[in-house]
Amino acid sequence: MKQILVPIDFSNNSKNALQYARTLLSSEICTFYLLNVYVSNPSNLLSKEYNDSVLAEMSHESEKNLNMFLNKINEENDNDLHNFKVVFKANTLVNAIKHMLNTIKIDFVIMGTKGAKGSREVFLGSNAVKVINGVENCPVLVVPQNYTSKKPSIIAFSTNFKRTFFRDELNPLIDIAVSNQSKINIARIMMEEYLNDHQKVNKETLKGLFKDLDYIFCKIDVETSETNALKEFATQTESDLIALVHHKHNFFQKLMEEDVVDKIAFNSPLPLLILPELKLKEATK
């Protein structure tokens, strides 16, 4: 059974992310934890009793809204494999998610995102990026607003082969591909023309891990930026999901370093699966 954490703030974005999660995992036995967070900033100018009453009211409101939402989801749910539970916490989103990961074995965090909106500060301050950078050892799947849910028939997996691959690291991607009978297009996005010996070894390791999957290798020319190259590749191949391992050598890290224009251009129209990097001592091949 898979356990999925979906942050819910009752916006269309978060509801759309939940719908995508249900579609993506429609053939899996799942418990979906619907997490609502609220933050109370006590005022030093007010009494402790007043601050406590405000926090209690926020807690009551969160619980009430979550239970109403849960009742609606249960009424509409026609998949006997899916179960839903609600969680509400007074915390920041990242800290609340970390607490859940420490309490329950969560397989995926799936959340909605509005994407970049025109400035460096907005992009770097978005909840999705905060969660991706703040949450370790759990895959994060971000779903763009207004994305129409469908099973991924083609997954674009980005790599430059500069580091080895581990089974524990790639298992979430493999599980999704198997469950949805997806083809994986392995996008080699790099400035260099040829792989060096180390990269060739890593490529062979990946072949072994993907041996039971439908996959192909693709070389992509980078004309402007790696982020644009991946976006264009996903569009040209009619991909339904972009996946990558979050490590210092890949495009997501470069996304943080590129110009604002490039960041806005990568306002991905597709769901993005970020796989956490595992160290050698944590993972198995």
Side-chain angles (χ1 to χ4, degrees), residues 37-56:
V37 299
Y38 54 96
V39 181
S40 175
N41 297 313
S43 172
N44 293 328
L45 301 178
L46 301 173
S47 67
K48 180 179 182 303
E49 290 76 13
Y50 181 83
N51 283 323
D52 288 345
S53 69
V54 170
L55 184 62

Side-chain angles (χ1 to χ4, degrees), residues 34-38 59-60 62-63 66-67 86-90:
L34 312 180
L35 171 67
N36 180 249
V37 299
Y38 54 96
S59 175
H60 174 72
S62 175
E63 182 180 16
L66 268 178
N67 284 327
V86 295
V87 183
F88 53 98
K89 291 188 177 297

Side-chain angles (χ1 to χ4, degrees), residues 5-24 32-36 65-66 68-73 76 84 110-114 141-150:
L5 181 61
V6 183
I8 293 290
D9 61 4
F10 311 110
S11 66
N12 289 335
N13 289 329
S14 64
K15 294 176 182 177
N16 191 50
L18 175 59
Q19 181 57 49
Y20 179 80
R22 295 168 64 183
T23 300
L24 181 72
F32 294 92
Y33 291 89
L34 312 180
L35 171 67
N36 180 249
N65 291 335
L66 268 178
M68 289 174 58
F69 184 69
L70 176 63
N71 290 336
K72 182 178 180 181
I73 292 296
E76 298 173 350
F84 303 88
I110 301 181
M111 62 183 297
T113 178
K114 294 181 179 179
L141 201 163
V142 293
V143 183
Q145 62 178 343
N146 302 323
Y147 181 78
T148 301
S149 296
K150 64 177 179 177

Side-chain angles (χ1 to χ4, degrees), residues 13-228:
N13 289 329
S14 64
K15 294 176 182 177
N16 191 50
L18 175 59
Q19 181 57 49
Y20 179 80
R22 295 168 64 183
T23 300
L24 181 72
L25 300 164
S26 60
S27 60
E28 301 278 351
I29 300 174
C30 296
T31 295
F32 294 92
Y33 291 89
L34 312 180
L35 171 67
N36 180 249
V37 299
Y38 54 96
V39 181
S40 175
N41 297 313
S43 172
N44 293 328
L45 301 178
L46 301 173
S47 67
K48 180 179 182 303
E49 290 76 13
Y50 181 83
N51 283 323
D52 288 345
S53 69
V54 170
L55 184 62
E57 178 60 28
M58 294 176 69
S59 175
H60 174 72
E61 189 71 13
S62 175
E63 182 180 16
K64 181 183 72 173
N65 291 335
L66 268 178
N67 284 327
M68 289 174 58
F69 184 69
L70 176 63
N71 290 336
K72 182 178 180 181
I73 292 296
N74 283 330
E75 287 175 2
E76 298 173 350
N77 181 40
D78 58 0
N79 190 335
D80 293 336
L81 299 177
H82 291 175
N83 181 43
F84 303 88
K85 296 183 179 181
V86 295
V87 183
F88 53 98
K89 291 188 177 297
N91 212 326
T92 65
L93 178 60
V94 172
N95 286 340
I97 291 175
K98 285 182 176 181
H99 176 79
M100 289 290 294
L101 296 180
N102 290 331
T103 305
I104 302 170
K105 174 61 176 69
I106 297 295
D107 294 286
F108 292 95
V109 175
I110 301 181
M111 62 183 297
T113 178
K114 294 181 179 179
K117 282 295 181 182
S119 74
R120 179 184 180 91
E121 289 73 20
V122 169
F123 181 85
L124 294 178
S126 69
N127 280 334
V129 175
K130 286 181 179 178
V131 171
I132 290 169
N133 287 331
V135 172
E136 298 178 352
N137 301 326
C138 185
V140 177
L141 201 163
V142 293
V143 183
Q145 62 178 343
N146 302 323
Y147 181 78
T148 301
S149 296
K150 64 177 179 177
K151 284 180 167 292
S153 58
I154 299 177
I155 300 172
F157 176 57
S158 168
T159 181
N160 52 25
F161 300 103
K162 289 185 178 180
R163 62 184 293 280
T164 193
F165 299 96
F166 301 109
R167 180 172 298 279
D168 291 347
E169 216 170 43
L170 297 181
N171 269 340
L173 171 60
I174 294 172
D175 286 348
I176 287 175
V178 171
S179 177
N180 294 278
Q181 299 181 319
S182 307
K183 176 181 179 180
I184 299 180
N185 290 336
I186 303 169
R188 172 189 158 194
I189 300 180
M190 50 187 288
M191 302 299 293
E192 299 83 0
E193 183 66 23
Y194 302 103
L195 299 178
N196 60 33
D197 290 342
H198 177 67
Q199 289 170 310
K200 290 177 181 177
V201 170
N202 293 337
K203 182 177 180 180
E204 291 302 313
T205 299
L206 186 60
K207 286 182 180 179
L209 295 174
F210 282 1
K211 61 183 176 63
D212 297 323
L213 303 178
D214 181 9
Y215 71 89
I216 59 171
F217 288 98
C218 307
K219 169 69 170 67
I220 301 176
D221 295 325
V222 179
E223 297 181 357
T224 55
S225 72
E226 294 185 20
T227 56
N228 281 336

